[in-house]
Amino acid sequence: MSLLYRFFQANMFVVFFLYGLVFFVMGSGILWRLRSYSSFRLARHLWILAVFGLLHAFADWGYLFVPFHAEVLGTGTARYLQVVQLLLTAVSFALLLFFGLRLITDTFQ
C-alpha cells in the first residue's frame, strides 16, 4: 500500500468535508453574484449550476454526518438519512445534466 493511499484513507473525513465545501462555495458564490440582467446566454441558466452545487455539497456532507447520527438516532433513522442522501445525489446530478442540456440547446439556437 502506498503512503499516499494510507494518508487519504486515514483522512477521508477531511477529504469529504473539503469536497463538500468546494461545491457549497461554488453554489453560494454563483447565487450571490447571480444577475438576471446579464446579456450572456450562460447567465440565464447559472441558477441551475448553483442549486447543483448546494445539493451536492449537502449530499457529500452526508457521508460525514449520517454515521455520527446513526448511533444517536437509531438504525431506522440512519437508513432514512441515507436514502435522503442518495436522493440528493441523484437530483444534483440530474440538475447538472439539465444545466448541460440547456447550454447545448442554447448553443445551437
Side-chain angles (χ1 to χ4, degrees):
M1 220 185 283
S2 71
L3 182 65
L4 190 62
Y5 177 78
R6 285 185 297 196
F7 172 77
F8 281 114
Q9 206 52 27
N11 296 306
M12 280 309 288
F13 287 115
V14 176
V15 170
F16 276 120
F17 176 74
L18 291 176
Y19 185 67
L21 188 63
V22 166
F23 282 107
F24 183 79
V25 168
M26 179 195 71
S28 59
I30 290 172
L31 282 179
W32 187 31
R33 297 295 297 173
L34 197 62
R35 295 183 178 154
S36 60
Y37 56 88
S38 178
S39 62
F40 291 114
R41 288 186 199 177
L42 173 68
R44 286 185 288 195
H45 308 298
L46 277 178
W47 67 271
I48 302 169
L49 188 64
V51 174
F52 156 76
L54 293 174
L55 289 180
H56 198 71
F58 291 128
D60 288 334
W61 285 335
Y63 289 113
L64 298 174
F65 298 115
V66 170
F68 290 133
H69 294 297
E71 297 176 6
V72 176
L73 299 174
T75 57
T77 307
R79 292 277 183 205
Y80 173 75
L81 290 175
Q82 287 174 343
V83 169
V84 169
Q85 178 186 359
L86 183 64
L87 289 174
L88 280 177
T89 303
V91 169
S92 71
F93 281 124
L95 284 171
L96 184 62
L97 175 68
F98 184 65
F99 175 71
L101 292 174
R102 294 297 299 207
L103 290 182
I104 290 172
T105 57
D106 277 357
T107 301
F108 294 113
Q109 283 183 345

